[in-house]
């Protein structure tokens, strides 16, 4: 079983920055694709950024150039640095860890951390 605990959300002014962290338990972190998703009120949850076990990254178009996803495998921690934040970035941000072992898929989510961009 994996537990994901996000931190680092909060209230920030437009143009500001935040760094989100996600700490994972268990032994799957290094072999999994880990990522950040977000969900704004009345909208579906969508990808922000993710990083594969091999280190490849991809970003939502809206976050390219404004965010950087990274991980510390030894600490089993995922990060998301977000810059030049806009009010439309306001959402609950969720950490996700997924993959498969012995052909059995797994998909874990954190509880989420609120990010509010407002003046």
């Amino acid at each position: 079983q994996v537990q994901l605990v996000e931190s680092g959300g909060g209230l920030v002014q437009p143009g500001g920055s935040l760094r989100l962290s996600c700490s994972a338990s268990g032994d799957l972190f290094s072999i999994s694709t880990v990522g950040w998703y977000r969900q704004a009120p009345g909208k579906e949850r969508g990808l922000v950024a993710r990083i594969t076990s091999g280190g490849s990254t991809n970003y939502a178009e809206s976050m390219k150039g404004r965010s950087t996803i990274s991980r510390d495998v030894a600490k089993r921690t995922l990060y998301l640095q977000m810059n030049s934040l806009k009010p439309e970035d306001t959402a609950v941000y969720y950490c996700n860890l997924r993959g498969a072992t012995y052909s059995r898929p797994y998909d874990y989510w954190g509880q989420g951390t609120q990010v509010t961009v407002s003046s």
Side-chain angles (χ1 to χ4, degrees), residues 42-58:
K43 295 187 177 181
E44 293 187 354
R45 190 175 300 186
L47 175 72
V48 177
R50 63 186 169 208
I51 183 168
T52 70
S53 59
S56 299
T57 59
N58 65 296

Side-chain angles (χ1 to χ4, degrees), residues 49-116:
R50 63 186 169 208
I51 183 168
T52 70
S53 59
S56 299
T57 59
N58 65 296
Y59 295 85
E61 283 297 322
S62 62
M63 297 304 289
K64 285 182 179 178
R66 299 193 296 125
S67 64
T68 303
I69 190 169
S70 62
R71 61 179 180 165
D72 186 325
V73 174
K75 294 182 178 180
R76 293 178 296 190
T77 302
L78 178 70
Y79 304 99
L80 182 69
Q81 177 68 43
M82 300 188 290
N83 304 317
S84 302
L85 284 163
K86 306 173 183 179
E88 51 263 44
D89 294 319
T90 295
V92 178
Y93 285 69
Y94 297 92
C95 180
N96 175 257
L97 182 149
R98 62 181 59 179
T101 56
Y102 303 103
S103 299
R104 296 183 65 179
Y106 55 85
D107 189 4
Y108 296 100
W109 292 90
Q111 291 298 308
T113 185
Q114 176 71 45
V115 171
T116 302

